Amino acid sequence: MVGVSDGQTSAQAPAAARTRVGRPLLSLALASMMDEVHAHAGGVYLLAADEPVLEMAVMAGLPRAFAAPWERVGLSAPIPVAEAVRERELVWVGGEEDMAARFPRIAVVLPYPFALAALPVATESTVYGAIFVTWPGSHPPQLSVRDRDHLIAACRRLAVRLERAFEASRPPLPEPDLLAGPAFSGSAGLFGTVEAARMVSRLPYGLCSLDLNGRVGFANPAAAELIGLPVSKLLGNQLWAAVPWLNDPIYEDRYRAALFSQQTTSFVALRPPGDWLSFRMYPSTTGLSVRISRARAVAEMARRGPQPGDTPSRLVTISQVLSLAGALTEAASVQDVVQLVSDEIAPAVGSQGLVVLGSRSGRLHVLGHRGYPDPHAVERFDGLPLAERTPGAQVLSTGVPAFFDSRQELERLYPSRYAAPDGFAAWAYLPLIASGRPVGTCVLAYAEPHPFPADERAVLTSLGGLIAQALERAQLYDAKHQLAHGLQAALLPHSLPELPGIEAAARYLPATQGMEIGGDFYDLVPMEPGLTAAVIGDVQGHNVTAAGLMGQIRTAVRAYTTVGYSPEEVMRSTNRLLIDLGSDLFASCLYLCLDPEQGRAVMARAGHPPPLLRRPDGRVRVLDLAGGPLLGIDERSPTYPTAEVDLTPGCVLVLYTDGLIESPGVDIEDALADLGQLLARAGDRPLDELADLLVQHSVSVRERVDDVALLLLRARG
């Protein structure tokens, strides 16, 4: 079923019984359009009936396998046909660099020189689909007015025909793709006369013909001899499928490049054990002619081995690009992105230096750099206005890549670089464009003059698109990370107050999973002369919601303490507050009213882990005294019984949240016993040193699934 859209809502095509349209409407319209503008390939998409998706209906000029990743295209996808439907206008892509900059997903899979136009198939009220057509890489970078008018008029005519078809309950049925006819299997018929076939068979080099699907339709005896297979084994099969040593994606890629660009391409392959063959492909809109000969120069180079000065090829293949894209998904922070580009992408393209630039408040900022002997050569650009005439600012502002083969070329366009030697001789400035906006510039520097042919520029620009997406994610991650830590710092005490008779130390560690923010908290609140309240708690979860509720609980506990509530009243009032707030989260809490002058403390617990008490003689006791339920789960007025705790001089109280002792696969009682033994041995150390020791000893803090809060209190003599 085919769907239609009016731009605001989608309506399903009539569900009446279908009758076959008298002729293949889509195929004929596409063929006529391609002929009018001399395009060599194209395709028609129709809007799906029940979802915002374009589905390929017909393709012409090239095998449909070439467009396999885009058989179904979401209307929101960054693909030309989808953009044409969204914008209701023609989308023009003038070449491989333009494709790499605007549609990197396509450029990664099809890094070939070709131009493309995509148009909506729509009437004034309804969108039916979209059409794209392509031209070889030799096409001018601009679409002529004549061709533009022809394409727009043809799409309008097709939209009217589809409208009439739907009104007549005759939506188009599936149609075959338009490819050239099957390759000829008899040499005399192919060349017109038997004598012509005899002539070809006498040539000293190999000739074979491939159809658009890569299948061999003709091969002369010389080709069979060079390849090492009889003609009968070649005919009807794809060359790289019939010949085992040609079964490499690199060779198939050359065939695809020839068909897309309609330009002669070539490659050299090793026929085992040591014969190098040269394959030269001459494409047309009906297939390819392939000339096969011995690659003597390559064979001689192979025999003599590598020579001084020989440099390895640094061609970045599609598989390498996809591998690098996968690696970029693992980068979390901006510095992770910079490091990964330095470690993997720069070496892959032969670059020796790297700078990643971003912008903030209209100024250029250096996000990271590698490979520069003098860092000041890079850092001096930090803070420059984007209006400053520098290649980095220009590329970031315009989103257009810039390539400089030599220092002379760079300094001719940017004279200010005369005064800024950095030791490099060639540069690629790649715009990092994500979500339709520039997020930065990636500068790849080369130690020697470096030409940038068109295919390399396309690959580099495509890599820029992948780096941009990783950088955008990393910047969001860093911003979220800073927000989380800022919020946590604002909600926890900046420092502990100086208290008479009490020495205190605290530590907080966020969970290592998620946003690194949580609901654990602690506080010390001075009361009437000589008394102090110590509180520690844990709100369920480790996210912004938990942190926000934690801030409310900490504020409430401090307020109830200040007005003179007893420990039990503080717990009961805080429980009522959580109930009234209607939060789905609950919290545990431990509250102590410390009276060091009398050598005692009064404790109230709400579902919180019991504290540890170390006496001056080194004995450690777990204060698993009576307590009440968790805060926020009992709407009645639960009781929170209190208990008196010994606090003679030299005693150390250890208050903690369960993140300190809970860890997958570790028994809590065993973890608590280990903590107590460490406290017994090291309890006489300075309190800050003891706090660090207790935190570092815990197995759970190494890969924390929960937050950790620790509050140590020591009674002075």
Side-chain angles (χ1 to χ4, degrees):
M1 184 69 72
V2 177
V4 295
S5 170
D6 60 4
Q8 302 295 328
T9 59
S10 295
Q12 186 169 323
R18 298 185 187 178
T19 58
R20 181 175 297 277
V21 177
R23 56 180 183 171
L25 173 62
L26 303 178
S27 301
L28 289 175
L30 179 60
S32 174
M33 185 183 305
M34 290 169 56
D35 185 59
E36 286 177 347
V37 298
H38 307 293
H40 82 299
V44 181
Y45 284 86
L46 294 178
L47 195 66
D50 52 357
E51 53 185 334
V53 170
L54 293 168
E55 297 178 330
M56 182 175 285
V58 173
M59 188 164 176
L62 291 172
R64 183 176 287 221
F66 284 17
W70 307 288
E71 281 278 353
R72 286 170 51 86
V73 175
L75 289 184
S76 61
I79 302 297
V81 288
E83 183 173 314
V85 171
R86 292 195 305 269
E87 303 297 331
R88 291 283 197 108
E89 63 183 19
L90 183 147
V91 174
W92 170 250
V93 183
E96 56 186 330
E97 290 185 23
D98 194 14
M99 181 70 77
R102 295 168 55 194
F103 304 103
R105 291 189 190 177
I106 295 179
V108 166
V109 180
L110 303 174
Y112 314 121
F114 67 96
L116 178 145
L119 302 92
V121 177
T123 62
E124 291 295 327
S125 60
T126 307
V127 175
Y128 292 93
I131 280 182
F132 77 88
V133 291
T134 66
W135 293 263
S138 57
H139 190 281
Q142 300 299 327
L143 184 65
S144 70
V145 174
R146 172 196 171 276
D147 287 352
R148 177 182 292 268
D149 292 343
H150 272 300
L151 291 172
I152 293 174
C155 286
R156 287 175 178 168
R157 289 195 298 270
L158 177 58
V160 171
R161 292 169 185 164
L162 287 171
E163 183 177 51
R164 292 171 181 168
F166 281 115
E167 288 175 352
S169 299
R170 296 186 303 160
L173 293 172
E175 300 177 18
D177 290 339
L178 298 177
L179 287 175
F184 187 76
S185 58
S187 59
L190 177 63
F191 293 98
T193 66
V194 174
E195 185 57 35
R198 289 172 179 168
M199 179 194 72
V200 172
S201 68
R202 291 193 293 264
L203 292 175
Y205 47 81
L207 284 177
C208 64
S209 174
L210 308 183
D211 67 9
L212 293 177
N213 288 301
R215 294 188 295 260
V216 178
F218 169 83
N220 69 351
E225 181 181 354
L226 287 168
I227 291 174
L229 287 177
V231 172
S232 60
K233 296 290 187 181
L234 297 174
L235 294 180
N237 295 314
Q238 291 176 323
L239 194 59
W240 48 89
V243 184
W245 46 271
L246 286 178
N247 189 14
D248 188 306
I250 292 178
Y251 305 138
E252 183 181 355
D253 178 67
R254 294 293 82 202
Y255 142 79
R256 291 157 61 97
L259 287 184
F260 262 100
S261 66
Q262 290 292 293
Q263 297 175 355
T264 301
T265 63
S266 60
F267 63 88
V268 178
L270 175 64
R271 173 191 166 184
D275 293 330
W276 288 92
L277 300 182
S278 172
F279 293 78
R280 193 163 183 83
M281 297 181 172
Y282 301 89
S284 74
T285 56
T286 59
L288 299 96
S289 297
V290 184
R291 184 182 188 274
I292 308 170
S293 60
R294 296 188 184 278
R296 302 186 187 279
V298 177
E300 290 173 4
M301 289 176 61
R303 283 194 294 271
R304 70 181 174 90
Q307 300 296 313
D310 288 351
T311 56
S313 171
R314 299 189 189 276
L315 176 65
V316 180
T317 64
I318 294 174
S319 59
Q320 285 177 291
V321 171
L322 297 177
S323 174
L324 294 171
L328 282 168
T329 62
E330 301 174 2
S333 68
V334 169
Q335 290 308 308
D336 289 343
V337 174
V338 173
Q339 192 64 48
L340 192 144
V341 174
S342 173
D343 291 345
E344 299 198 29
I345 294 181
V349 299
S351 170
Q352 290 79 40
L354 166 72
V355 183
V356 179
L357 303 170
S359 67
R360 186 171 61 250
S361 303
R363 292 185 176 273
L364 204 63
H365 287 277
V366 178
L367 302 178
H369 60 86
R370 301 287 188 275
Y372 280 75
D374 181 9
H376 296 293
V378 175
E379 293 166 359
R380 72 185 191 86
F381 292 104
D382 195 66
L384 283 179
L386 288 179
E388 193 83 13
R389 184 166 171 73
T390 64
Q394 185 79 6
V395 168
L396 195 151
S397 300
T398 63
V400 178
F403 300 91
F404 303 98
D405 298 357
S406 64
R407 173 168 289 279
Q408 290 76 17
E409 184 179 356
L410 177 65
E411 292 175 347
R412 178 173 56 82
L413 295 174
Y414 298 93
S416 62
R417 289 302 298 265
Y418 276 113
D422 54 17
F424 291 100
W427 298 264
Y429 285 79
L430 309 176
L432 305 181
I433 300 174
S435 304
R437 64 181 183 87
V439 297
T441 300
C442 178
V443 185
L444 297 170
Y446 297 78
E448 302 293 335
H450 183 92
F452 295 96
D455 56 347
E456 184 173 349
R457 294 186 181 205
V459 170
L460 290 176
T461 308
S462 298
L463 287 173
L466 299 175
I467 296 169
Q469 295 173 24
L471 182 61
E472 184 183 45
R473 290 194 303 270
Q475 288 176 327
L476 290 173
Y477 173 86
D478 284 352
K480 183 178 73 171
H481 195 267
Q482 292 172 5
L483 172 64
H485 280 265
L487 177 60
Q488 193 78 57
L491 294 175
L492 291 172
H494 295 288
S495 61
L496 297 177
E498 292 287 339
L499 301 171
I502 296 292
E503 182 185 356
R507 296 291 183 270
Y508 172 79
L509 297 175
T512 56
Q513 302 176 11
M515 285 188 65
E516 299 190 12
I517 186 173
D520 290 13
F521 69 97
Y522 59 86
D523 205 356
L524 282 179
V525 186
M527 300 170 63
E528 60 186 77
L531 299 182
T532 300
V535 61
I536 191 167
D538 182 2
V539 178
Q540 174 194 11
H542 40 89
N543 50 36
V544 172
T545 303
L549 187 60
M550 173 267 280
Q552 292 176 296
I553 293 176
R554 179 180 166 232
T555 301
V557 170
R558 178 173 277 268
Y560 297 143
T561 299
T562 302
V563 298
Y565 281 16
S566 67
E568 182 182 6
E569 290 172 329
V570 170
M571 291 291 96
R572 193 163 50 243
S573 299
T574 306
N575 177 71
R576 173 49 54 189
L577 172 69
L578 261 66
I579 297 296
D580 293 343
L581 288 175
S583 172
D584 293 331
L585 303 180
F586 54 83
S588 68
C589 190
L590 173 66
Y591 185 94
L592 283 166
C593 180
L594 308 172
D595 187 354
E597 187 174 334
Q598 298 296 323
R600 69 187 189 98
V602 178
M603 180 179 76
R605 267 203 310 154
H608 199 82
L612 299 179
L613 173 65
R614 183 188 186 275
R615 300 186 182 278
D617 59 6
R619 289 180 299 160
V620 175
R621 177 189 172 195
V622 178
L623 300 180
D624 195 6
L625 305 176
L630 291 165
L631 303 176
I633 63 173
D634 193 343
E635 295 186 4
R636 298 167 296 176
S637 296
T639 59
Y640 294 93
T642 59
E644 188 170 307
V645 177
D646 182 27
L647 197 62
T648 55
C651 286
V652 177
L653 276 169
V654 179
L655 284 59
Y656 57 91
T657 55
D658 53 11
L660 185 69
I661 58 173
E662 286 187 355
S663 183
V666 178
D667 185 79
I668 292 181
E669 292 187 0
D670 292 341
L672 194 57
D674 289 344
L675 188 66
Q677 291 174 7
L678 179 60
L679 179 62
R681 295 194 305 270
D684 291 328
R685 296 188 183 188
L687 218 53
D688 279 317
E689 184 179 330
L690 178 61
D692 290 335
L693 185 65
L694 294 180
V695 166
Q696 293 168 4
H697 172 76
S698 174
V699 175
S700 62
V701 302
R702 295 166 196 164
E703 287 293 334
R704 298 183 298 277
V705 296
D706 199 1
D707 308 34
V708 174
L710 176 68
L711 180 60
L712 303 183
L713 304 168
R714 175 180 282 153
R716 293 173 177 156

